[in-house]
Amino acid sequence: MENCRLIELTSHGDNRGSLIALEKEHDVPFDIKRVYYIYDTKRGVPRGFHAHENLEQLLICVSGSCKIKVDNGKEKEIYELNSPEKALYIGKMIWREMYDFSGSCVLMVIASEYYNPEEYIRDYDKYIELVNGGGI
Ligand code: TYD
């Protein structure tokens, strides 16, 4: 889908284990302003249900697995994040829902902007209106 893609991360492994490094510009396609992680999720309890006009994010399931449904107002796609070597880039104006969290799932999110509750679009009908030409 346009504005959303899976990125294969480079893992540096040896007989001690594996390591992944994420550097601004090299691995993350935006300036990093914030990192947060979602953990202690409850089985069957979905999260997300919002979009952002100006936020770009990279989602990495560093432990366990979960599914991410993305929607650009025209098409929807489901990605399964089940490896710390996979990152899902989500661009601006994409509606996202996260669900099917496995036990001990840790979903790390790298974001291009500081947290700002004001810029959340939480109403799906309003999102569809905006994405289909209503002022963007
Ligand atoms: P929420 O947006 O509901 O999470 P999700 O995107 O998974 O649905 O955020 C949960 C709580 O965490 C809410 O009280 C706001 C707070 N929060 C921050 O303080 N900073 C952040 O960067 C984020 C993403 C959330």
Side-chain angles (χ1 to χ4, degrees):
M1 174 190 297
E2 205 186 319
N3 226 5
C4 260
R5 62 182 183 278
L6 273 180
I7 297 173
E8 201 67 40
L9 304 171
T10 304
S11 176
H12 307 277
D14 56 30
N15 56 9
R16 298 168 301 165
S18 301
L19 181 154
I20 290 177
L22 299 172
E23 294 189 356
K24 175 179 134 177
E25 284 167 32
H26 301 147
D27 311 282
V28 179
F30 49 77
D31 278 357
I32 300 165
K33 289 227 179 83
R34 175 168 55 114
V35 176
Y36 62 92
Y37 41 95
I38 295 170
Y39 63 102
D40 199 18
T41 49
K42 309 294 176 231
R43 250 175 219 284
V45 181
R47 305 186 63 116
F49 301 92
H50 45 73
H52 307 265
E53 270 183 47
N54 277 310
L55 183 69
E56 294 172 87
Q57 293 188 317
L58 201 63
L59 281 66
I60 300 159
C61 212
V62 292
S63 172
S65 66
C66 68
K67 294 196 180 113
I68 319 286
K69 183 173 166 185
V70 289
D71 178 346
N72 65 7
K74 293 184 189 77
E75 15 164 20
K76 302 179 205 303
E77 209 156 325
I78 293 168
Y79 292 94
E80 182 166 21
L81 292 180
N82 54 11
S83 156
E85 299 176 9
K86 266 194 227 177
L88 178 64
Y89 168 79
I90 302 184
K92 298 172 185 178
M93 278 314 266
I94 302 281
W95 184 267
R96 83 285 312 272
E97 299 172 14
M98 294 91 89
Y99 61 102
D100 272 5
F101 293 96
S102 71
S104 35
C105 174
V106 181
L107 179 64
M108 183 171 76
V109 182
I110 298 171
S112 67
E113 300 299 331
Y114 296 112
Y115 177 61
N116 176 7
E118 311 278 292
E119 66 84 51
Y120 275 63
I121 303 163
R122 293 192 178 273
D123 179 334
Y124 187 72
D125 292 339
K126 186 182 163 209
Y127 164 72
I128 290 296
E129 212 179 287
L130 286 168
V131 88
N132 290 325
I136 293 207

